[in-house]
Amino acid sequence: MSWTSAELAALKKAYAAGATRVSYEGKTVEYDSGAQLLTRIRIIEAKISASNGRKKPVAGFVRFTREIR
């Protein structure tokens, strides 16, 4: 399935406004909650960035110790 930038923009705009009903390109979708809408946004962003060949950023923790002998 391919997503469009118009769909992603509409989802982000609705989320920012606190709405759960989104209309774009002649389609209307209603989500149960803002959390469900945010999940959809994240899925689409991940798929778009994966199709562009960009990898997801990786976060980690580094710990250094210095022993004095």
Side-chain angles (χ1 to χ4, degrees), residues 4-67:
T4 63
S5 58
E7 178 183 3
L8 183 58
L11 291 170
K12 287 181 175 182
K13 184 176 179 181
Y15 183 76
T20 56
R21 180 177 287 179
V22 182
S23 297
Y24 60 93
E25 299 174 353
K27 301 173 189 173
T28 301
V29 180
E30 186 157 352
Y31 293 90
D32 293 333
S33 65
Q36 188 182 34
L37 179 58
L38 183 59
T39 300
R40 181 74 171 167
I41 291 169
R42 290 182 176 158
I43 289 170
I44 293 172
E45 286 177 332
K47 296 292 183 180
I48 288 174
S49 65
S51 69
N52 291 337
R54 294 184 349 209
K55 293 183 179 179
K56 267 182 125 175
V58 177
F61 297 97
V62 177
R63 187 177 99 178
F64 295 96
T65 60
R66 184 175 182 183
E67 292 183 26

